[in-house]
C-alpha cells in the first residue's frame, strides 16, 4: 500500500481491511469493464458484424474517402476507351455513388476481418450487397410508392438482416420492376475488383493462403483468405488494449471517495483505472483552465458541494429490497410499475387454451393454429404482435430493474457505501455509477437510505416525514397541513402495509409505489418509537418546474412566478393545471361557434386540414387536464418549441384514441391535424402564463446567434464561480446512406475541422444550458450553507433537495434564502451574462449586426416573497 494512499486516509481513520476491500472492489470494476468490452467485440465478430465494433467504425470512416476515390479513378479509366478488355464491374457499378460502393465494400470486408473467411466468399458477399443496392435503386425508380412504404416500415429498426428481408420482400411483390438477378460469377468478379481497390487504397487488407494444418502436394494450393494487413493487425491490438480499460464498470465505493482537489483525480483510488475528470469532457484545454481556476481559489463552493455529496454514507433499505426482489422473482408483472421479469406472455392458443409463448420463441409451430380460419389467425397474430411490441418497449426497463436489484444484493450487507460524483459542463452534479444511485429511478431511490440516521427529535421533523410520504403517494396538490393530515387519516393502512406489504397492496396504488413503501416502513418505526426514532429515509422537497421558477426570478415575472409558487399562498399553484384550464376555455369558446367558416387550410391548398369547431367539440369529450399539458410546459425553459409542443400533444392524443377504450376520430379529420389544432391552443396558453420565460429564451438565442456569426462558443461564469463552456463541435463530414438503411457520417481530409461550431445546436441549446447552470449553482450554494449549519447528509437531484427529516425544516429555510441571495440582486442577470459572453465578440462582427438583442425588462415580482412561499420547494 502506497504512502500517499495511507496519507489520504490518515485523517479519516479508515481501517486497512476496508481500504484493502475497496482496492479489490475497484480492481473488480476495472476487470469487469475490460471483460465486458472484449466480450462485446467477440460477440460482434461472431455475428459477422465486426464493422460495429469501435475499431470497425473507425476503419470504415477512415477508408471511405480513399476507396471511393479509387473507385472513381477505376471507373473513369475504364470508360475512357483505352485498349484492353472492359471489366464487367464497370457495368455493374454504373450509376452508383462511389461513397456507397466504398461503404458497402468496407463494411462487408471488415465484418469478416478477423474470422479468416475465404477470399471468394467475401467477394461474392460484396457483389450480392452491391446487387441488392442496385435492385432497391430500381425499386425506388420504378415503384416509388412501395419503396417509400417499406422505408417507413423499416425506420428505426437496427437489425440489418430484418431491413434487408423487408426490402427484398417488397421488391418481390412489386409488379412494375424488372431486374435480372446477377449470376454468382458476376458477383465474384465485382467483389474481387473492389477488394483489390480496397487493398491498394487503404492498406487495411491483404490476401494470404489459409493454412488448415494439413499437408498439400506439390501441385495443390491452399485457398486464399482476406486478412488484416500486418500494420492493421498491430493497430487493432493496440486499440483493443487501450479501449478495453477506458470503461470500468463503476460501482459505489466502500470508503469515502477520493475528494476533488483539482480538475482530475477524484472519486476512485485504483491506479490502473483511468483518472476521472471533475467535468465530463475530453477538452484538455478546458480542463487545464478549470484546474487553474480551482488552484487560484475561484470555485470553493463547487468543490465543497461535490465533496459533501461524495462523503454522504448510504446503505441498502433491506425491507424494501426484500419486497422488490420477491415481487421480481415471483410475479407475472404489472406490480408496482414492474414489468414481468421474463416479459409478457403471448395470448393463449384460441383452440386449446395452452400457453404457447415458449414454443413460439423457440420457433416451434403449434398445430392448433393451423386449423384456424384466416380471420381467426389474423386476430391472434395481431394480439401476439401487440405483446411482442410491448416486450420490446419494456426490455430496457426489465434490464434496468435486474441490474438495480443485482447491485442492491451486492451491497445489502454493507454498513455504508458512497457515491463518487462528477459535473457536466453546466455544473450539474451526477453520480458516476449507474442504476442503483440516489438520482436513479423510483425503485433505485427507495432501495437506498442514509447509513447513519438521525433521531426525529420534534414534531416539525415528523411533519416533514409525513409530507414526504404524502408526496410519494401523489397527494401533493394540497397544502402542507393537508398532506400531514392525510397521513394521519391513513395511519392504519400505512401500518398494515409496513407489517405485511405482500398482502396489503394499497402501497402499489401510489404514484411512486416504492418510495411510498419506504415511507410506510419508516412511519411505522416512528409510531413504535416516537420522537426518539432514528430516521434514515431521505426526505425530498422538489421545485415547481424549477426552470420556469429561475426565469421568473431573474426577470421578476409576477404572472409566471405566481404559477410556479414563487408567491405565498394557502394552496400550491399547479402551472400544468392552469395551462390546461386556459386550453379548455379556449376549446369551449371554439365549440360554441358555427362550423361554417371554421375550416383551416394549408398554404396554397383548397382542401381543409381541419374544422376548428369540430375539433374543439371532439376534444372536449377527452380529459383536458394537467396530464395533457405537463410535458409541453415542463420542457419550455429547456428549449421547448412549438414543434416539440405539437409532438407531445400528438403523443397524448394517440394515447386517448388508441388506448384501452378506443375513440373514433371525427369524420374527415386526421389525428395529426387535430393534434396540431390542440397544440396551437396549448402553446398560446403557455405563452400567456409564462410571459417573461419566453422573452428570456428569445434573448438567449439571439445572443447565441451573434456568437455564431463570430464563430465563438458561449462561455460564462455561474454565481458560484463555475466556468461554463458551451461548445458543440460539428462533424462536418459527408453522410453516406444505403437504400437498405445503413448510414454513416465520415470525415474527409479537407472537412475534419474539430473546432468548427455546430451553430444550430449552439443556438437551440443555450436556453436549457443557461438555466441548468443556474440551478446547479443554487444547489451548490445551498449545500455549502447547509454544511455551515451542521447538515452533512444529502440526497440531491438538480431541482430536488433531500436530507434527514430532522434537518428538513432548516434545509427548507436555507434553500429559500439561497435563491433570494443568488437571484434577488438589483442587476439584471441576463444583462450581466450577455456582457460576459459578448466580450469576446470582435467589433467588426458587432458593427455588421443590425441591432443588438434587447435585454428583457423586469416585471413586478418581489423576490423576497420566495422566503415566505411554502410551496416554492415542497
Amino acid at each position: 500500500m502506497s504512502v500517499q494512499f495511507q496519507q489520504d486516509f490518515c485523517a479519516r481513520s479508515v481501517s486497512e481491511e476496508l481500504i484493502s476491500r475497496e482496492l479489490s472492489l475497484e480492481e473488480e470494476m476495472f476487470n469487469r469493464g475490460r471483460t465486458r468490452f472484449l466480450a462485446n467485440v467477440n460477440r460482434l465478430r461472431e455475428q459477422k458484424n465486426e464493422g460495429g465494433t469501435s475499431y470497425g467504425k473507425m476503419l470504415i470512416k477512415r477508408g471511405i474517402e480513399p476507396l471511393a476515390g479509387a473507385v472513381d479513378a477505376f471507373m473513369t479509366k475504364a470508360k475512357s476507351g483505352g485498349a484492353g478488355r472492359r471489366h464487367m464491374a464497370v457495368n455493374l457499378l454504373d450509376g452508383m455513388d462511389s461513397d456507397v460502393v466504398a461503404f458497402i465494400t468496407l463494411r462487408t470486408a471488415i465484418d469478416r476481418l478477423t474470422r479468416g473467411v475465404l477470399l471468394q466468399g467475401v467477394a461474392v458477399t460484396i457483389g450480392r450487397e452491391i446487387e441488392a443496392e442496385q435492385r432497391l435503386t430500381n425499386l425506388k425508380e420504378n415503384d416509388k410508392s412501395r419503396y417509400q412504404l417499406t422505408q417507413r416500415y423499416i425506420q428505426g429498426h437496427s437489425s440489418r438482416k430484418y431491413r434487408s428481408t423487408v426490402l427484398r420482400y417488397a421488391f418481390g411483390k412489386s409488379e412494375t420492376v424488372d431486374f435480372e438477378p446477377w449470376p454468382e460469377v458476376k458477383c465474384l468478379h465485382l467483389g474481387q475488383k473492389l477488394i483489390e481497390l480496397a487493398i491498394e487504397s487503404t492498406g487495411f487488407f491483404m490476401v494470404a493462403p489459409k493454412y488448415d494444418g494439413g499437408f498439400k502436394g506439390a501441385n495443390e494450393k491452399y485457398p486464399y483468405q482476406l486478412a488484416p494487413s500486418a500494420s492493421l493487425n498491430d493497430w487493432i491490438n493496440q486499440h483493443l488494449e487501450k479501449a478495453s480499460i477506458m470503461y470500468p464498470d463503476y460501482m459505489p465505493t466502500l470508503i469515502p471517495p477520493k475528494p476533488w482537489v483539482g480538475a482530475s483525480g477524484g472519486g476512485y483510488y485504483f491506479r490502473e483505472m483511468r483518472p476521472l475528470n471533475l467535468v465530463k469532457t475530453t477538452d484538455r484545454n478546458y480542463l487545464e483552465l478549470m484546474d487553474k481556476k480551482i488552484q487560484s481559489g475561484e470555485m470553493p463552493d463547487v468543490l465543497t458541494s461535490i465533496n459533501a455529496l461524495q462523503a454522504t454514507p448510504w446503505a441498502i433499505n433491506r425491507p424494501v429490497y426484500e419486497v422488490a426482489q420477491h415481487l421480481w422473482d415471483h410475479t407475472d408483472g404489472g406490480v408496482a410499475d414492474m414489468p414481468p421479469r421474463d416479459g409478457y406472455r403471448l395470448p393463449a392458443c384460441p383452440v386449446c387454451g395452452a400457453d404457447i409463448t415458449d414454443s413460439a420463441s423457440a420457433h416451434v409451430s403449434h398445430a392448433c393454429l393451423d386449423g384456424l380460419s384466416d380471420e381467426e389467425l389474423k386476430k391472434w397474430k395481431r394480439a401476439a404482435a401487440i405483446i411482442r411490441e410491448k416486450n420490446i418497449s419494456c426490455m430496457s426497463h426489465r434490464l434496468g430493474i435486474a441490474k438495480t436489484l443485482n447491485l442492491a444484493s451486492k451491497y445489502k450487507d454493507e454498513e455504508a457505501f458512497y457515491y463518487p460524483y462528477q459535473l457536466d459542463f453546466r455544473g450539474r452534479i451526477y453520480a458516476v455509477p449507474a442504476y442503483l444511485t440516489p438520482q436513479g429511478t423510483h425503485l433505485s431511490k427507495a432501495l437506498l437510505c442514509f447509513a447513519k440516521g438521525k433521531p426525529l427529535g420534534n414534531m416539525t421533523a415528523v411533519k416533514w416525514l409525513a409530507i414526504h410520504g404524502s408526496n410519494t403517494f401523489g397527494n401533493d396538490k394540497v397544502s402542507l397541513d393537508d398532506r400531514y393530515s392525510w397521513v394521519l387519516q391513513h395511519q392504519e393502512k400505512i401500518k398494515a402495509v409496513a407489517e405485511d406489504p405482500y398482502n396489503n397492496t394499497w402501497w402499489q396504488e401510489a404514484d411512486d409505489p416504492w418510495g411510498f413503501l419506504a415511507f410506510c416502513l419508516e412511519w411505522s418505526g416512528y409510531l413504535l418509537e416516537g420522537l426518539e426514532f432514528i430516521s434514515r429515509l431521505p426526505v425530498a422537497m422538489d421545485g415547481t418546474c424549477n426552470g420556469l421558477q429561475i426565469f421568473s426570478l431573474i426577470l421578476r415575472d409576477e404572472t409566471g412566478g405566481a404559477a410556479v409558487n414563487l408567491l405565498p399562498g394557502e394552496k400550491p399553484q399547479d402551472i400544468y393545471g392552469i395551462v390546461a384550464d386556459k386550453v379548455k376555455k379556449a376549446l369551449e369558446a371554439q365549440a360554441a361557434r358555427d362550423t361554417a367558416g371554421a375550416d383551416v387550410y394549408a398554404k396554397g391548398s383548397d382542401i381543409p386540414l381541419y374544422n376548428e369547431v369540430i375539433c374543439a367539440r371532439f376534444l372536449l369529450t377527452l380529459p383536458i387536464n394537467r396530464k395533457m399539458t405537463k410535458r409541453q410546459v415542463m420542457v419550455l425553459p429547456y428549449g421547448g418549441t412549438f414543434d416539440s409542443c405539437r409532438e407531445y400533444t400528438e403523443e397524448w392524443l394517440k394515447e386517448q384514441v388508441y388506448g384501452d377504450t378506443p375513440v373514433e376520430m371525427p369524420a374527415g379529420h386526421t389525428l395529426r391535424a387535430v393534434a396540431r389544432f390542440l397544440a396551437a391552443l396549448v402553446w398560446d396558453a403557455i405563452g400567456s402564463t409564462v410571459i417573461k420565460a419566453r422573452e428570456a429564451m428569445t434573448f438567449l438565442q439571439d445572443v447565441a446567434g451573434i456568437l455564431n456569426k463570430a464563430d465563438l462558443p458561449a462561455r460564462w461564469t455561474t454565481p458560484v464561480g463555475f466556468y461554463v463552456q458551451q461548445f458543440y463541435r460539428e462533424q462536418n463530414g459527408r453522410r453516406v446512406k444505403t437504400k437498405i438503411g445503413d448510414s454513416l457520417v465520415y470525415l474527409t481530409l479537407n472537412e475534419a475541422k474539430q473546432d468548427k461550431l455546430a451553430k444550430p445546436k449552439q443556438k437551440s441549446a443555450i436556453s436549457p444550458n443557461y438555466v441548468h447552470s443556474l440551478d446547479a449553482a443554487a444547489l451548490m450554494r445551498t449545500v455549502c450553507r447547509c454544511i455551515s449549519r451542521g447538515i452533512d447528509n444529502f440526497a440531491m437531484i438538480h431541482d430536488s433537495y433531500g436530507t434527514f427529516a430532522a434537518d428538513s425544516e432548516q434545509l427548507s429555510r436555507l434553500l429559500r434564502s439561497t435563491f433570494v441571495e443568488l437571484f434577488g440582486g438589483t442587476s439584471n442577470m441576463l444583462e450581466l451574462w450577455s456582457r460576459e459572453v459578448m466580450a469576446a465578440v470582435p467589433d467588426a462582427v458587432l458593427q455588421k449586426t443590425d441591432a443588438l438583442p434587447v435585454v428583457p425588462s423586469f416585471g413586478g415580482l418581489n423576490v423576497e416573497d420566495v422566503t415566505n412561499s411554502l410551496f416554492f420547494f415542497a
Side-chain angles (χ1 to χ4, degrees), residues 755-767:
D755 291 331
K756 187 171 183 180
L757 285 174
K759 293 183 178 179
K761 180 67 173 178
Q762 285 288 114
K763 191 171 182 178
S764 64
I766 193 68
S767 178

Side-chain angles (χ1 to χ4, degrees), residues 336-455:
D337 294 339
M338 276 187 171
R341 178 171 181 163
D342 299 316
Y344 294 95
R345 312 298 292 178
L346 291 179
C349 172
V351 178
C352 68
D355 181 352
I356 61 176
T357 299
D358 295 333
S359 61
S361 62
H363 304 289
V364 177
S365 61
H366 186 68
C368 295
L369 297 180
D370 296 335
L372 294 175
S373 67
D374 290 345
E375 186 59 36
E376 290 174 322
L377 184 60
K378 283 183 180 179
K379 183 178 179 181
W380 182 87
K381 284 185 174 180
R382 279 196 296 268
I386 291 172
I387 296 298
R388 289 192 179 99
E389 287 294 323
K390 196 174 180 181
N391 280 330
I392 291 172
S393 66
C394 73
M395 187 177 296
S396 61
H397 187 194
R398 300 205 315 265
L399 180 63
I401 291 174
K403 290 193 172 184
T404 299
L405 290 175
N406 182 58
L407 270 175
S409 175
K410 184 178 182 68
Y411 284 85
K412 69 180 187 298
D413 296 322
E414 301 293 344
E415 290 185 8
F417 52 87
Y418 304 81
Y419 286 92
Y421 283 84
Q422 282 180 292
L423 309 175
D424 69 7
F425 73 92
R426 301 151 317 175
R428 278 192 155 192
I429 305 177
Y430 290 89
V432 175
Y435 299 107
L436 180 68
T437 81
Q439 298 175 326
T441 62
H442 288 320
L443 173 61
S444 174
K445 289 184 286 188
L447 286 168
L448 296 171
C449 58
F450 292 128
K452 294 180 180 177
K454 193 169 186 177

Side-chain angles (χ1 to χ4, degrees), residues 600-609:
V600 175
Y601 298 85
K603 188 175 181 180
S605 173
D606 57 356
I607 301 175
L609 283 174

Side-chain angles (χ1 to χ4, degrees), residues 552-559 692 856-862:
S552 297
L553 279 171
I554 63 179
L555 287 178
R556 315 296 192 263
D557 182 2
E558 192 169 7
T559 302
K692 289 294 181 181
S857 59
F858 278 170
L861 176 73
N862 180 5

Side-chain angles (χ1 to χ4, degrees), residues 555-670:
L555 287 178
R556 315 296 192 263
D557 182 2
E558 192 169 7
T559 302
V564 291
N565 292 309
L566 298 185
L567 301 179
E570 295 182 1
K571 291 184 178 181
Q573 294 297 307
D574 177 12
I575 186 171
Y576 312 126
I578 291 171
V579 172
D581 288 342
K582 290 183 178 182
V583 171
K584 193 169 185 177
K585 289 179 180 178
L587 287 172
E588 290 169 346
Q590 290 277 20
R593 296 168 51 202
D594 194 296
T595 55
D599 287 337
V600 175
Y601 298 85
K603 188 175 181 180
S605 173
D606 57 356
I607 301 175
L609 283 174
Y610 56 84
N611 183 286
E612 292 179 325
V613 175
I614 294 174
C615 287
R617 292 173 181 173
F618 165 71
L619 290 167
L620 285 171
T621 66
L622 304 179
I624 305 297
N625 53 29
R626 70 184 307 275
K627 290 184 178 180
M628 189 273 287
T629 61
K630 183 173 182 177
R631 292 181 72 185
Q632 297 92 318
V633 175
M634 188 182 296
V635 302
L636 179 71
Y638 307 119
T641 62
F642 176 74
D643 285 339
S644 63
C645 178
R646 180 194 53 75
E647 179 183 335
Y648 293 138
T649 303
E650 187 172 326
E651 287 180 13
W652 172 85
L653 188 55
K654 284 180 180 178
E655 291 173 1
Q656 309 308 309
V657 172
Y658 303 128
D660 295 335
T661 306
V663 177
E664 189 173 342
M665 294 293 300
H669 287 68
T670 65

Side-chain angles (χ1 to χ4, degrees), residues 131-264:
E131 178 197 23
E133 187 73 12
Q134 290 284 44
R135 293 176 71 189
L136 293 168
T137 299
N138 195 307
L139 177 67
K140 182 179 181 180
E141 293 172 351
N142 295 289
D143 194 346
K144 197 167 186 177
S145 60
R146 182 174 292 277
Y147 176 81
Q148 290 176 339
L149 176 66
T150 53
Q151 285 287 336
R152 289 196 296 271
Y153 194 75
I154 67 173
Q155 189 175 10
H157 286 272
S158 60
S159 169
R160 190 191 310 155
K161 183 177 179 181
Y162 171 83
R163 289 183 273 122
S164 176
T165 301
V166 169
L167 289 170
R168 286 186 172 92
Y169 175 81
F171 182 87
K173 286 291 185 180
S174 177
E175 298 177 356
T176 61
V177 175
D178 183 20
F179 188 93
E180 188 70 27
W182 295 352
E184 186 169 297
V185 66
K186 280 191 174 184
C187 294
L188 174 62
H189 287 305
L190 173 59
Q192 286 178 329
K193 185 61 186 179
L194 291 173
I195 290 172
E196 176 189 325
L197 295 175
I199 292 173
E200 294 173 353
S201 62
T202 68
F204 292 167
F205 315 106
M206 67 178 184
V207 175
K210 184 178 177 64
Y211 300 107
D212 56 10
F215 177 76
K216 297 290 184 181
N219 296 323
E220 294 181 292
K221 295 182 178 179
Y222 287 97
Y224 287 101
Q225 65 179 346
L226 186 68
S229 65
S231 60
L232 178 60
N233 200 54
D234 290 343
W235 179 84
I236 290 175
N237 290 333
Q238 291 172 10
H239 171 85
L240 292 177
E241 185 61 32
K242 291 179 180 178
S244 64
I245 65 174
M246 297 291 283
Y247 308 103
D249 191 10
Y250 291 119
M251 292 186 285
T253 61
L254 301 177
I255 59 179
K258 194 174 183 180
W260 290 101
V261 295
S264 66

Side-chain angles (χ1 to χ4, degrees), residues 24 50 67 92 106 140 272 340 362 405 407 418 456 467 501 623 705 719 807 812 833 844 859 866:
S24 297
E50 204 162 347
L67 179 52
L92 299 178
L106 289 169
K140 182 179 181 180
E272 299 298 323
L405 290 175
L407 270 175
Y418 304 81
L456 290 172
I467 290 169
D807 292 330
S812 174
W833 173 84
V866 168

